[in-house]
Amino acid sequence: MTATTTADTPTAPQGHPRRWLILGVICLAQLTVVLDNTVLNVAIPSLTEELDATTSDIQWMINAYSLVQSGLLLTAGSAADRYGRKKMLAAGLALFGIGSLVAVLAGSTSQLIAARAGMGIGGALLLTTTLAVAMQIFTPDEHPKAIGIWSAVNALGFATGPLIGGFMIDHFWWGAIFLINLPVVALGLVAVVSLVPETKNPQGDRPDLLGALLSTIGMAALVFAIISGPEHGWASGRVLMTAAVAVAVLALFAYWESRAPYPMLDLHFFRNRKFTGAVTGAVLIAFGMSGALYLLTQHLQFVLGYGALEAGLRTAPLALVVVALNFSGLSAKWLARLGMPGSIALGMVLMSGGLVSIASLTEHGYGGTLLGLLLIGAGAAIANPAMAHAIMSAIPREKAGVGAGINGTLAEFGNGLGVAVLGAVLTSRFAALVPVAATSLPAALAAADSAEERERVTDAFSSGLETSQLMGAAAVLLGGLLAAALLRRAERAGDGRPGDGPAAGPDSPVGVSG
């Protein structure tokens, strides 16, 4: 059954009768993507040993997925708006499953990196369509709670990924961490086809393929330069040339988007202070969080000596706090009470404090790490839904896919850049302090000739981790303060358009079948 609704319908918008069940389905699809982002972290020691992977190889295994995905998110969102969000959601699950199967069969680091890049295509479709569908099937009053649950699932996957990965690594080989995606993808496909309604904007813009190509190349070049810096030298020709290519291509991307008839990133959105404030916070929060927690898993395993499963268990409290606060509706209530600026500021201050706790108190035992994880979880439960809601409500409803693409692009770009930059800081600090030449901690320990030398190697690695964690904390705190200030100015200036108006009504026009 299909209902067509126009923008000037006088009645209040109604939510889909099965919207909460549908939210569960799209959260399952979302969980698949997020799990794959984090499950790989605990496999780092196994990959280093079994595939002879260097630090740069590991970073590329993580970043190849993020870079391809972030480059395609905007185009995927635009395609979903025009051709159907349900179709793109199903296609994303199928592509993600195929990529996972290829990763299971990979026999070298280059094959695994290629498989991860392929999975990024499916991930781009999934990340944009899940949030876009949620914005269509719920009423505006329900958006904060729905986005809170969607964000909680992100956190659940982010924190339980190491736990699931640790269990798989302890009992099977590293390829099993990708094998578990297949039954989840199969279940998700059945549920999407049978439950999720089709929504689309038939008059939507055409996909901006050139923009997607330019953004992917530009961001890949930028992160490649950052990863290569510690190994080849920041002033080396290789790094400088790659950085120059990144700057040139990203500048060309911005120029094209300002001139293109159907840009995937409408630069006029940045005139909205509400949008700009949320964007600022989203990039910096992803930068600090992903990079710092990527380092934490290495600290738990390499320095404190925990196994993969033990390391996963010790990061689980972060997810439990986020899930508890969002599924109970407390984060949505705090958003209503504090407003977006206050929620984002409070949340990111808590998260920054958590990262400082991990950096400075971990050496005194797990208690400091636990305190940090609890603070990060509470902060994420408050700040992340507020940030996503700010971005989505600043964009017209008929462009919900593009809005989700922007939100996902910022998160993925921040994630990739955070792992690259903070990983590069760790590598540089480690190389400056380590008494033996090596490309990774296991290699440095193997080359050490005595217990005292191995202790100095471990201390050097710990020093690099602390420096990187503190840099991540500073980025999160800066993001919170900047985002809150910009959002506060937007509220005072009444700069909420086009958010609250268009976001409150249905697509114009939109076919909804289900």
Side-chain angles (χ1 to χ4, degrees):
M1 182 176 180
T2 302
T4 302
T5 311
T6 57
D8 55 1
T9 301
T11 59
Q14 299 295 317
H16 193 281
R18 293 183 294 177
R19 57 192 178 279
W20 294 107
L21 179 59
I22 294 168
L23 180 63
V25 172
I26 62 179
C27 282
L28 177 65
Q30 178 78 2
L31 183 63
T32 308
V33 180
V34 181
L35 276 175
D36 192 74
N37 269 336
T38 57
V39 77
L40 189 63
N41 286 343
V42 295
I44 289 173
S46 298
L47 293 170
T48 301
E49 186 176 326
E50 296 181 27
L51 294 182
D52 196 25
T54 65
T55 300
S56 293
D57 290 332
I58 296 297
Q59 289 176 331
W60 270 112
M61 289 175 191
I62 295 172
N63 286 326
Y65 177 85
S66 297
L67 290 174
V68 171
Q69 184 172 262
S70 61
L72 295 175
L73 280 169
L74 293 172
T75 295
S78 177
D81 287 338
R82 183 176 180 85
Y83 300 113
R85 296 163 186 130
K86 177 178 180 176
K87 292 187 184 70
M88 294 299 104
L89 180 56
L93 280 167
L95 290 172
F96 194 85
I98 294 171
S100 298
L101 180 60
V102 174
V104 169
L105 302 175
S108 66
T109 56
S110 59
Q111 291 174 3
L112 183 55
I113 291 170
R116 292 275 294 164
M119 293 170 70
I121 301 174
L125 291 169
L126 290 174
L127 282 178
T128 52
T129 50
T130 53
L131 184 55
V133 169
M135 295 298 290
Q136 302 301 315
I137 62 175
F138 286 95
T139 64
D141 290 343
E142 294 172 327
H143 283 165
K145 185 174 182 180
I147 293 176
I149 293 175
W150 180 85
S151 297
V153 170
N154 282 346
L156 182 65
F158 196 79
T160 58
L163 177 61
I164 295 172
F167 176 83
M168 301 301 288
I169 291 295
D170 279 356
H171 293 82
F172 307 99
W173 95 114
W174 62 264
I177 63 177
F178 298 106
L179 191 62
I180 60 175
N181 289 340
L182 301 181
V184 178
V185 165
L187 178 61
L189 273 172
V190 172
V192 165
V193 171
S194 59
L195 291 174
V196 175
E198 183 62 282
T199 61
K200 61 182 178 179
N201 176 21
Q203 298 179 350
D205 300 335
R206 293 195 301 268
D208 180 12
L209 299 180
L210 179 58
L213 178 64
L214 291 174
S215 64
T216 302
I217 293 174
M219 286 188 288
L222 176 62
V223 175
F224 181 79
I226 295 170
I227 292 176
S228 301
E231 182 178 356
H232 299 280
W234 294 104
S236 66
R238 176 177 182 171
V239 173
L240 292 177
M241 180 65 69
T242 309
V245 169
V247 171
V249 173
L250 290 175
L252 182 60
F253 167 73
Y255 176 80
W256 168 254
E257 294 303 290
S258 67
R259 300 292 193 276
Y262 302 102
M264 69 178 190
L265 178 58
D266 189 344
L267 299 182
H268 290 91
F269 288 148
F270 289 94
R271 295 180 181 177
N272 186 325
R273 293 171 184 168
K274 181 179 180 182
F275 176 80
T276 305
V279 163
T280 302
V283 171
L284 290 176
I285 194 175
F287 174 91
M289 284 292 298
S290 63
L293 293 180
Y294 157 74
L295 299 173
L296 174 62
T297 59
Q298 296 189 59
H299 182 88
L300 290 172
Q301 293 183 72
F302 286 141
V303 178
L304 299 183
Y306 293 122
L309 179 57
E310 291 177 302
L313 284 170
R314 281 165 173 77
T315 59
L318 187 156
L320 295 178
V321 173
V322 176
V323 170
L325 293 180
N326 278 304
F327 275 84
S328 65
L330 286 177
S331 63
K333 292 178 181 177
W334 287 341
L335 174 58
R337 180 176 300 177
L338 300 175
M340 285 185 186
S343 297
I344 290 173
L346 174 60
M348 296 181 77
V349 166
L350 290 174
M351 295 170 77
S352 179
L355 293 172
V356 171
S357 175
I358 290 174
S360 57
L361 300 179
T362 298
E363 63 183 64
H364 301 296
Y366 178 66
T369 301
L370 177 60
L371 174 62
L373 291 172
L374 294 177
L375 288 173
I376 291 170
I382 298 171
N384 283 345
M387 207 107 61
H389 188 257
I391 291 174
M392 295 301 293
S393 63
I395 291 176
R397 185 183 176 96
E398 65 270 14
K399 291 185 176 292
V402 174
I406 293 172
N407 183 66
T409 296
L410 297 172
E412 289 303 316
F413 178 62
N415 288 341
L417 204 58
V419 170
V421 172
L422 298 187
V425 171
L426 167 61
T427 303
S428 297
R429 180 69 174 164
F430 180 57
L433 296 176
V434 74
V436 292
T439 57
S440 66
L441 176 62
L445 290 173
D449 297 327
S450 64
E452 291 78 9
E453 196 169 358
R454 283 191 290 273
E455 184 177 354
R456 286 197 296 270
V457 169
T458 303
D459 289 343
F461 191 78
S462 297
S463 177
L465 284 170
E466 180 180 349
T467 301
S468 300
Q469 294 276 12
L470 291 175
M471 180 177 289
V476 172
L477 180 61
L478 176 62
L481 296 177
L482 285 176
L486 289 171
L487 287 170
R488 184 70 69 190
R489 289 181 59 190
E491 285 186 353
R492 290 173 178 171
D495 191 8
R497 61 188 186 279
D500 299 333
D507 283 0
S508 174
V510 57
V512 181
S513 59

